[in-house]
Amino acid sequence: MKSKGNGQRVNHRRMSRRKALALIGAAGGALIAAGPGALAQVAAPAVRKKVKLTYWNWADNPVHQKISLDSVAMFNKSQSFIEVEVDATMAVMESRKKLVVSHAAGAPPDVVMTVQYWVQDYLDNGILHPLGDYFDKWDAKPDFFPNVIEQVKSKPGQPVLFIPQTSIPYFVFYRADWLKEANVKVPETFDQFVAASKAITKAPDRYGIAMRGQTYSAIQVILPIWASAGVKFADEKGNVDFDSPGALDVTEKWVGMFTKDKSAQPTAVNDGYRELYALMEKSKCGFWFYGPHAGPALIKALGDAIQACPNPRVGPKKYMLANPEGPMMTTGCKERDAAWEFIKYICGGEAVLLYTAGRSVPPVRKTIAQNAFFQNDRFIKMSLAESDTWWTPPYHHKHWTNMQDKIAPYWQEALREKITPKQFNDQVAKFLRGQA
């Protein structure tokens, strides 16, 4: 999101243990027929000795914090050998910093919730312990979406680095009533999107796109559009193409919605996640690139007027940015078998419903995706139907983290017209080449 990576995530649906059980029941035979992998809840753990583990997760709001606490309480009650202590008091970006510092000090936690865009950096810096050997022996392995499992390997030839609970897709929320009023079809191409955004703008009362200027997350939602234009960012040989004509064309059109078309809100330069959320709820903007976890609040505010569609494309292939999230094991963990028992637990059965249905995000297991909760949520159902287009950029590239950490102020400068779109793209390319 965070948006999460965002740093900010607001969840408006509370999930109790009773509700989680009810959701499992709603899936009925689909989950039961799936065998032990789908519902397994540590009944007879392989670890038969007293063990204590530490688990860190971010919690940007009380609902998310309660999910962390409840899942640990459920695990601790499920058996009498492994005791997990949880710290869910940090924001998502803080959790990364805290982990790096604790690892350097020789006192990291055993299990940490992570996001795809950090795992290669964790691996390269000796913080992450790969889980491929454990995962390959797990009877639930065939139940996971194959493309997501490839993503959590980070790059070809590597083992599974962490176990995904969800992969949070980013797509387009749109005001169906405004498009109908303007006699505009739901956009499929990026040019259609730019035109539609302009067509539904009625300044100063409403604008086409809720555009973000704050943090790296502002450009994260554009990544799949650049990819659809054929941009590789950095290929397997390390070649960088973000300063190519195709990449620049997308940047110019996106920035142009703010600087030329005036179809983005005037405050876009300084707006972050919370501001965009408010703009959509108050009917100030018609398009918003975000994930399904915004759905409950938007439906409450706007009803059937708010709908969703896949990201617009430039070329023939469409992409949906979807960042896998889930628990990883650290290299500092001394009780790895016990940590694996805990990781399995929170990636299946009741617990994984807390982390997915409890946050209104999709699961990444075939059987659990058939649960009535996910099939009855129009935003999650749409994103699951598009799961074969779920995609991540080359987070494994050795300079990606450098670019991600440094690029935000340059994006704001581009929106302010202090630098040109070409200068922005050139700067991204320099970061990816390790030249800055």
Side-chain angles (χ1 to χ4, degrees):
M1 270 59 118
K2 196 162 180 19
S3 105
K4 182 175 155 270
N6 317 221
Q8 305 161 341
R9 177 167 290 181
V10 174
N11 303 291
H12 297 264
R13 187 166 302 207
R14 188 176 297 276
M15 174 73 58
S16 66
R17 185 173 187 273
R18 179 177 297 178
K19 182 66 177 294
L21 287 168
L23 287 171
I24 291 177
L31 283 172
I32 295 172
L39 287 171
Q41 292 292 306
V42 190
V47 176
R48 309 291 292 182
K49 63 179 181 179
K50 292 288 186 178
V51 173
K52 284 191 175 183
L53 299 174
T54 52
Y55 165 53
W56 288 0
N57 191 10
W58 61 83
D60 296 324
N61 60 80
V63 174
H64 197 177
Q65 185 177 57
K66 188 173 187 299
I67 288 169
S68 302
L69 297 174
D70 286 353
S71 65
V72 169
M74 288 162 57
F75 174 76
N76 286 342
K77 290 178 182 178
S78 74
Q79 43 73 58
S80 58
F81 294 97
I82 306 168
E83 180 184 351
V84 177
E85 295 179 351
V86 60
D87 180 352
T89 60
M90 63 206 88
V92 64
M93 296 304 289
E94 293 171 358
S95 68
R96 177 191 173 198
K97 295 176 183 177
K98 188 173 178 179
L99 175 59
V100 171
V101 171
S102 68
H103 173 79
D110 299 292
V111 177
V112 181
M113 193 64 67
T114 192
V115 188
Q116 181 66 42
Y117 38 75
W118 292 331
V119 295
Q120 189 65 45
D121 191 57
Y122 287 155
L123 179 68
D124 293 344
N125 285 284
I127 299 173
L128 178 150
H129 178 74
L131 295 174
D133 289 344
Y134 285 108
F135 183 73
D136 288 342
K137 297 174 183 177
W138 191 14
D139 58 1
K141 176 181 177 179
D143 196 38
F144 286 81
F145 295 170
N147 60 328
V148 176
I149 293 303
E150 287 305 308
Q151 287 177 325
V152 300
K153 293 179 180 178
S154 185
K155 60 183 178 181
Q158 292 190 161
V160 166
L161 300 185
F162 70 101
I163 306 301
Q165 293 172 324
T166 181
S167 189
I168 300 183
Y170 288 77
F171 46 77
V172 183
F173 286 102
Y174 67 90
R175 285 293 298 265
D177 52 340
W178 292 5
L179 292 185
K180 183 178 180 180
E181 173 192 300
N183 195 28
V184 174
K185 293 182 179 180
V186 177
E188 295 185 7
T189 70
F190 186 43
D191 284 342
Q192 290 171 355
F193 176 83
V194 172
S197 185
K198 187 174 182 178
I200 63 175
T201 295
K202 291 185 176 180
D205 298 316
R206 75 186 198 196
Y207 294 88
I209 177 175
M211 186 179 291
R212 185 168 178 170
Q214 289 274 12
T215 80
Y216 158 78
S217 297
I219 67 167
Q220 178 177 245
V221 295
I222 319 173
L223 295 176
I225 301 177
W226 278 310
S228 74
V231 178
K232 301 296 184 183
F233 304 96
D235 64 20
E236 61 279 358
K237 296 181 180 179
N239 298 315
V240 172
D241 65 354
F242 200 74
D243 48 0
S244 64
L248 178 58
D249 184 62
V250 171
T251 307
E252 288 178 334
K253 289 176 179 176
W254 188 281
V255 172
M257 286 190 286
F258 177 71
T259 60
K260 297 178 181 178
D261 295 348
K262 308 298 181 182
S263 59
Q265 80 279 14
T267 56
V269 175
N270 294 313
D271 282 349
Y273 163 77
R274 297 183 187 280
E275 289 78 17
L276 302 195
Y277 218 121
L279 286 168
M280 293 300 296
E281 288 185 304
K282 295 177 181 178
S283 291
K284 295 296 184 181
C285 292
F287 290 112
W288 185 26
F289 287 74
Y290 202 60
H293 42 298
L298 292 181
I299 289 174
K300 182 178 180 180
L302 304 170
D304 290 339
I306 192 70
Q307 298 291 332
C309 64
N311 296 315
R313 55 179 173 77
V314 176
K317 189 174 181 180
K318 57 186 175 181
Y319 295 83
M320 186 176 287
L321 176 70
N323 291 319
E325 294 180 7
M328 68 172 237
M329 191 184 302
T330 71
T331 53
C333 177
K334 295 180 174 59
E335 297 289 349
R336 291 177 180 173
D337 289 346
W340 172 243
E341 294 290 346
F342 174 64
I343 288 172
K344 284 196 303 180
Y345 186 94
I346 62 173
C347 290
E350 301 172 43
V352 81
L353 284 173
L354 292 177
Y355 287 92
T356 55
R359 298 162 61 209
S360 292
V361 295
V364 292
R365 294 179 61 168
K366 303 168 190 175
T367 51
I368 296 175
Q370 296 307 310
N371 185 293
F373 176 89
F374 306 112
Q375 293 301 313
N376 290 333
D377 183 306
R378 62 177 176 266
F379 305 124
I380 294 179
K381 186 176 181 179
M382 183 277 292
S383 59
L384 284 170
E386 296 285 330
S387 62
D388 62 336
T389 71
W390 289 2
W391 164 89
T392 54
Y395 293 131
H396 61 269
H397 179 62
K398 63 181 179 179
H399 297 304
W400 187 274
T401 300
N402 177 58
M403 182 277 292
Q404 183 174 295
D405 288 346
K406 296 178 179 178
I407 196 58
Y410 295 92
W411 179 247
Q412 289 185 304
E413 291 295 277
L415 293 180
R416 290 190 179 103
E417 297 185 276
K418 299 295 184 181
I419 63 173
T420 66
K422 183 178 186 306
Q423 288 173 316
F424 171 80
N425 279 41
D426 287 346
Q427 187 62 52
V428 173
K430 286 179 181 178
F431 284 142
L432 290 175
R433 292 187 178 112
Q435 297 171 346

